[in-house]
Amino acid sequence: MVTKHFTYPAMTLVALLIISGCSDTKKIAVDLEDYSERLQSYTGIAIESLPEVNNLYAPNKQALKIDIERTSINLRELFAFNDCSLNQLVAQRNTALGKMQLPSSRYAYESELVHELAACQRSLQENEGKTELVAKLADWSALKQQQLPQVWANLITQSIETDTHFTGGTGYISGTSNDNFQATKLALNFLLKSQNEHPVNASALELHLQQLNNTPLMAKKWRTQLLLAQELNNISRLLNTYLINNTCSTRKEEESIEVMRNIFRIFFAQRIQTVAGQLNNYYYQLSPLVEQLAQAPQMPTAFNEYLLLHNTLNFEAYTEAMQSHIQIWQQIFERCDNIAAFEASL
């Protein structure tokens, strides 16, 4: 009985934490809905209810995959490299397990191979009897260095973790530490640097990929800016109608604007604008990293266009919607002030 006494509260706490975590990703959508409903209820002006934003229109993952020419080597040539560990590395790749590599382990292998080819080439150059082997190494090294950017592009577009981070997940950002912003920034930085650091740290690579998978901040951020642009534009239509109808020519209309000021403060400034501020912060810090991904020459065009759509075009649309929304509120707040100034001048 004692066990049950402690077990049930613990289970309840876990359930509450899970529910809290889920609702955290939906909070901005709920806040926007509350904001809209409160304005409609008070003003009596109805606006259209729009569908929730879900689709990011991501390109087909399989269509982004780059087919890379395979390099073959016979066993006699392979075992000729006993002076370095190249033969062991290639032998591991040709096992049944080695042939079923994930994009991340494939990149880690190719990165190590480029490093080992260079090291082996330097080692054999000191031996005059190895001229032919050195020439083969030079050819393989040039080919592998040429292919490595394509292997890296497949790491970005074909890994389950990156696919989830850029295109998947559900819900929106919360504007809190739950968004995992710092871990996302570190992970993207690591992926970009991994293009030029060989051999790449395979353990660190997997750790950063898992961080991206656990919290798909980029997809949530892009979904949030779409939601904000859609809903704020919709609510702005209500505010425009209200602005036309309220000329602040009576005491009742003046009091109405004071009520509207409170709605703005409680629903928009304190709740929605707080998340929007964090969205802007994420954008300005992560945008340069996304641009570097999009500008990588080996990256498939469809993926580049997808990044451009959300990181540039849709962010601009969100920014325009936000600025326009705030400007309408400013016009509402200034309506009575302008009239007071006119009367004073008389």
Side-chain angles (χ1 to χ4, degrees):
M1 296 296 293
V2 174
T3 303
K4 290 183 179 179
H5 177 74
F6 286 100
T7 300
Y8 291 137
M11 291 175 64
T12 303
L13 177 60
V14 171
L16 288 173
L17 288 173
I18 292 173
I19 292 171
S20 175
C22 291
S23 62
D24 197 39
T25 66
K26 294 287 186 178
K27 187 176 183 302
I28 185 62
V30 173
D31 287 343
L32 283 163
E33 184 177 358
D34 290 346
Y35 179 44
S36 174
E37 288 179 353
R38 182 70 183 94
L39 283 170
Q40 291 182 75
S41 174
Y42 177 69
T43 64
I45 303 169
I47 52 176
E48 182 183 2
S49 179
L50 302 175
E52 190 173 339
V53 173
N54 286 311
N55 198 340
L56 292 177
Y57 299 98
N60 180 272
K61 177 183 173 181
Q62 193 59 35
L64 299 176
K65 186 175 182 180
I66 301 173
D67 292 325
I68 302 171
E69 180 185 356
R70 299 187 63 177
T71 306
S72 60
I73 176 175
N74 65 48
L75 292 177
R76 189 166 53 187
E77 289 177 317
L78 175 64
F79 291 128
F81 294 102
N82 286 327
D83 293 344
C84 49
S85 57
L86 179 64
N87 55 358
Q88 299 173 15
L89 183 63
V90 177
Q92 291 173 7
R93 169 74 172 90
N94 283 272
T95 63
L97 184 62
K99 292 179 179 179
M100 299 175 62
Q101 290 176 319
L102 294 172
S104 56
S105 53
R106 176 64 189 277
Y107 183 71
Y109 166 80
E110 294 288 338
S111 175
E112 186 177 0
L113 182 60
V114 165
H115 172 77
E116 187 58 37
L117 281 167
C120 193
Q121 190 175 352
R122 287 193 300 270
S123 175
L124 293 180
Q125 279 176 341
E126 300 174 1
N127 190 328
E128 294 182 1
K130 303 286 186 177
T131 305
E132 186 176 344
L133 292 177
V134 171
K136 285 183 178 293
L137 282 171
D139 290 341
W140 291 335
S141 181
L143 176 60
K144 285 299 178 181
Q145 288 182 28
Q146 181 183 359
Q147 292 178 340
L148 196 59
Q150 296 176 319
V151 183
W152 180 81
N154 280 343
L155 163 70
I156 302 300
T157 65
Q158 300 302 303
S159 295
I160 294 173
E161 298 88 349
T162 50
D163 183 55
T164 298
H165 189 81
F166 287 109
T167 71
T170 57
Y172 312 95
I173 67 168
S174 64
T176 68
S177 58
N178 291 336
D179 291 333
N180 217 22
F181 164 68
Q182 289 298 340
T184 297
K185 185 177 179 180
L186 287 172
L188 292 177
N189 264 309
F190 181 89
L191 289 179
L192 286 165
K193 290 180 179 178
S194 70
Q195 297 178 88
N196 304 311
E197 296 181 359
H198 308 302
V200 66
N201 186 323
S203 298
L205 175 61
E206 295 299 338
L207 177 63
H208 285 298
L209 286 174
Q210 197 56 51
Q211 290 282 6
L212 293 177
N213 183 77
N214 290 343
T215 309
L217 172 59
M218 204 62 67
K220 287 183 177 182
K221 184 175 77 70
W222 291 339
R223 202 177 287 115
T224 303
Q225 66 189 28
L226 285 170
L227 175 73
L228 283 167
Q230 171 183 285
E231 295 302 317
L232 291 179
N233 280 331
N234 199 30
I235 297 171
S236 290
R237 284 188 277 273
L238 178 154
L239 295 177
N240 268 318
T241 301
Y242 176 84
L243 183 62
I244 292 170
N245 294 336
N246 190 323
T247 60
C248 198
S249 57
T250 67
R251 179 66 179 169
K252 183 178 180 181
E253 288 184 338
E254 185 177 350
E255 290 174 348
S256 172
I257 289 180
E258 284 304 309
V259 173
M260 291 287 279
R261 191 186 298 272
N262 286 332
I263 294 175
F264 170 86
R265 177 177 53 82
I266 295 170
F267 289 90
F268 182 75
Q270 294 181 0
R271 291 161 65 175
I272 295 165
Q273 211 166 15
T274 300
V275 175
Q278 280 291 47
L279 173 64
N280 294 343
N281 177 48
Y282 296 161
Y283 170 79
Y284 290 116
Q285 294 201 50
L286 297 178
S287 178
L289 305 180
V290 176
E291 288 177 1
Q292 287 182 56
L293 284 174
Q295 291 168 2
Q298 68 276 11
M299 201 66 75
T301 301
F303 189 71
N304 291 345
E305 291 174 347
Y306 175 72
L307 297 181
L308 174 66
L309 170 67
H310 291 295
N311 193 59
T312 303
L313 301 180
N314 285 344
F315 181 79
E316 289 175 353
Y318 145 74
T319 302
E320 184 178 342
M322 176 65 73
Q323 291 174 344
S324 175
H325 191 74
I326 292 174
Q327 286 171 1
I328 296 170
W329 272 115
Q330 289 172 339
Q331 291 173 35
I332 291 172
F333 299 152
E334 291 169 356
R335 177 56 57 88
C336 291
D337 294 340
N338 291 338
I339 291 175
F342 174 73
E343 291 176 345
S345 67
L346 292 177

